Amino acid sequence: MGLLHSINDFNEAKQVIPGGVNSPVRAFKSVGGTPPFIIKGQNCYLFDVDDNRYIDFVQSWGPLIFGHCDPDIQTSVSIAIQNGLSFGAPTEMETTLAKEIISVYEGIEKIRLVNSGTEATMSAIRLARAYSGKDDIIKFDGCYHGHSDALLVSAGSGCATFGTPSSPGVPKDFSKHTFVAKYNDIESVKSCFQDGNIGCVIIEPIAGNMGLVPARIDFLKDLRHLCDEFGAVLIFDEVMSGFRASLKGVQGYCDIVPDMATFGKVIGGGMPLAAFGGKDEIMNLLSPLGGVYQAGTLSGNPIAVSAGLTSICKIKQNPQIYSYLEKLAQRLMEGFKNAAHTYGINLQTCVRGSMFGFFFNKTKVENFEDAQKSDTKMFAQFHAKMLEKGVYLACSQFETGFICTAMNEAVIDTAIKSAEKSFDEISKGI
Ligand SMILES: *Cc1c(COP(=O)(O)O)cnc(C)c1O
């Protein structure tokens, strides 16, 4: 397996694109080496410009729950394209997609479509501030909600990997309204409520951007109570976990109802599409009904909506996929864990539906501080060894892996065999 063409491509890209990539984690900075330049995807596989084939456990960082080139999604997109790429005017399909999301997610009565998760969370927070009439917000260390100024106050996975606690270029005045609490630690939330005039709490209820770290159910319950007590809007950021951890995201694991939720990734079926939604009385403050401004030239784009709608309809027609995906994820994590333990390597694993995560860590990970105690050097070695063997894992210890329906037990077992070989080589210092 060589990467000659990718190395050339990467060098060329670096001349004209900062770091050679259009989103930082793609540059492989935390694991070293060259990112393969991709030429195509098929089912659960990626193919690079050097003719290497990889089992893809990234799936475009989550969107592709049916894998690459799903025939139903491809067909619906091909048909939609015949009628034009964009109108900047309402279409019936947007209503249908909104209804589909509303029908599965409790607490969401209206939805607005946007183009990225960043936009969804940024807009949700603006609305939450307007509704509560309070400027201060709480976010959690290790949670990532996109790259808007107010949310880059504590590191997301990209930043954590690069070792910068917050981004230069974000004015202190913008970040002073953002309080950062500790994940799964209700006392830290209480002190934020005491110190600030909190109008909104945003959380990944199943965190996937510090590795996979689900919130404890009792913690989410306490959070709900605190928000009620202090009159703060609770936002569940389910951009990653929505339609991924289960059909209902975190609501497949508990009956806690947020005031607002954000979606992305799977709801676009691989196209740029995201959404934020909430209770009527909150969403009705949005322009043109209310004064809270939010807009988008390409929002609700017909091609993106057709891909997303086909994806969601296909999921709803086959809700059993989640138990299938979870079984495969469990099998993979059991396999990795057993392989690591054979060589005396500490590995913590976690599965939520089609999402999986593993930390080279001695103890269970409950928050970002725990996650950061992981052996990132071991991760980098493991990642490189797996890539060499045709297994494409997320290129950071602080990301989540994804299973798609195009995978089966044989594919998972191939990945486990590669893990065994990788740990064997690592332990022998090869
Ligand atoms: C990916 C992600 C975002 C940002 O979405 P983009 O489409 O990349 O802007 C926000 N929140 C969560 C939880 C995410 O996983």
Side-chain angles (χ1 to χ4, degrees):
M1 172 165 303
L3 285 172
L4 271 182
H5 288 95
S6 282
I7 290 168
N8 283 339
D9 284 352
F10 196 34
N11 285 332
E12 203 177 328
K14 283 183 201 166
Q15 307 298 313
V16 288
I17 300 171
V21 291
N22 283 311
S23 196
V25 73
R26 296 177 198 169
F28 274 37
K29 204 166 170 178
S30 67
V31 289
T34 299
F37 272 56
I38 303 305
I39 201 154
K40 68 167 183 174
Q42 186 64 50
N43 308 324
C44 65
Y45 297 105
L46 274 182
F47 298 83
D48 73 9
V49 289
D50 290 285
D51 245 356
N52 300 308
R53 188 185 79 166
Y54 306 94
I55 302 172
D56 180 11
F57 287 110
V58 178
Q59 295 295 328
S60 189
W61 302 97
L64 310 179
I65 199 162
F66 296 108
H68 299 276
C69 303
D70 174 77
D72 298 317
I73 298 172
Q74 303 277 88
T75 303
S76 78
V77 166
S78 312
I79 292 168
I81 283 173
Q82 309 299 314
N83 295 320
L85 297 180
S86 179
F87 312 124
T91 58
E92 292 172 353
M93 250 195 319
E94 292 160 74
T95 310
T96 314
L97 180 56
K99 279 186 184 169
E100 291 293 349
I101 295 170
I102 286 167
S103 72
V104 297
Y105 206 91
E106 211 183 319
I108 304 301
E109 295 171 328
K110 282 203 175 83
I111 285 267
R112 180 158 284 176
L113 301 181
V114 293
N115 304 292
S116 70
T118 293
E119 265 185 89
T121 56
M122 181 185 77
S123 309
I125 285 171
R126 182 178 306 146
L127 201 48
R129 280 173 161 157
Y131 178 78
S132 65
K134 295 183 272 188
D135 288 341
D136 294 341
I137 66 172
I138 297 175
K139 84 172 281 283
F140 291 89
D141 203 17
C143 283
Y144 178 69
H145 307 288
H147 63 90
S148 68
D149 282 340
L151 292 166
L152 280 186
V153 169
S154 181
S157 57
C159 292
T161 304
F162 301 146
T164 40
S166 63
S167 169
V170 176
K172 278 214 175 66
D173 285 347
F174 288 20
S175 63
K176 72 182 181 196
H177 291 295
T178 307
F179 289 67
V180 180
K182 193 168 167 184
Y183 202 75
N184 277 324
D185 178 348
I186 203 68
E187 292 307 318
S188 74
V189 183
K190 283 181 187 161
S191 51
C192 290
F193 270 108
Q194 243 106 62
D195 294 346
N197 188 21
I198 304 296
C200 159
V201 177
I202 186 165
I203 186 168
E204 284 181 81
I206 297 171
N209 287 288
M210 49 174 144
L212 181 57
V213 184
R216 290 194 321 270
I217 303 303
D218 63 296
F219 173 73
L220 291 176
K221 269 194 190 131
D222 290 344
L223 206 54
R224 177 69 275 182
H225 290 317
L226 278 175
C227 286
D228 291 340
E229 188 187 332
F230 286 90
V233 174
L234 178 60
I235 305 174
F236 279 177
D237 180 357
E238 299 233 46
V239 168
M240 185 188 291
S241 52
F243 299 93
R244 254 297 174 191
S246 81
L247 173 66
K248 301 159 181 273
V250 75
Q251 291 187 345
Y253 298 84
C254 65
D255 54 6
I256 299 161
V257 181
D259 302 302
M260 299 186 74
T262 53
F263 303 92
K265 299 195 169 105
V266 170
I267 71 156
M271 294 291 285
L273 178 72
F276 64 101
K279 292 193 288 199
D280 259 335
E281 60 182 34
I282 299 177
M283 295 303 286
N284 290 346
L285 296 180
L286 206 55
S287 182
L289 290 180
V292 179
Y293 196 69
Q294 183 277 332
T297 302
L298 292 174
S299 289
N301 172 269
I303 314 305
V305 171
S306 71
L309 187 55
T310 306
S311 207
I312 297 300
C313 289
K314 198 167 157 152
I315 287 170
K316 287 174 95 172
Q317 281 154 17
N318 303 280
Q320 75 286 355
I321 61 168
Y322 291 99
S323 52
Y324 174 73
L325 294 168
E326 179 152 321
K327 257 190 216 137
L328 292 183
Q330 295 282 14
R331 188 183 182 92
L332 183 71
M333 287 300 92
E334 280 301 304
F336 276 20
K337 199 169 189 165
N338 291 337
H341 288 177
T342 304
Y343 294 94
I345 295 166
N346 293 307
L347 196 73
Q348 304 293 326
T349 61
C350 179
V351 167
R352 281 293 180 281
S354 63
M355 302 163 73
F356 69 84
F358 57 93
F359 290 103
F360 290 101
N361 201 310
K362 285 196 187 97
T363 51
K364 190 170 179 238
V365 173
E366 286 237 298
N367 56 49
F368 193 43
E369 217 177 289
D370 296 345
Q372 282 180 308
K373 289 178 190 143
S374 304
D375 185 345
T376 52
K377 283 207 182 86
M378 175 65 80
F379 180 86
Q381 272 182 293
F382 180 64
H383 180 270
K385 294 273 178 214
M386 292 295 272
L387 194 72
E388 239 170 59
K389 294 169 184 52
V391 182
Y392 192 85
L393 294 167
C395 52
S396 157
Q397 172 70 101
F398 308 109
E399 297 287 353
T400 292
F402 299 98
I403 306 289
C404 68
T405 58
M407 290 176 184
N408 55 35
E409 290 188 354
V411 169
I412 298 296
D413 291 348
T414 304
I416 293 171
K417 283 232 164 58
S418 301
E420 286 163 359
K421 268 191 227 138
S422 296
F423 289 131
D424 184 53
E425 289 170 17
I426 290 169
S427 70
K428 289 176 179 152
I430 297 172

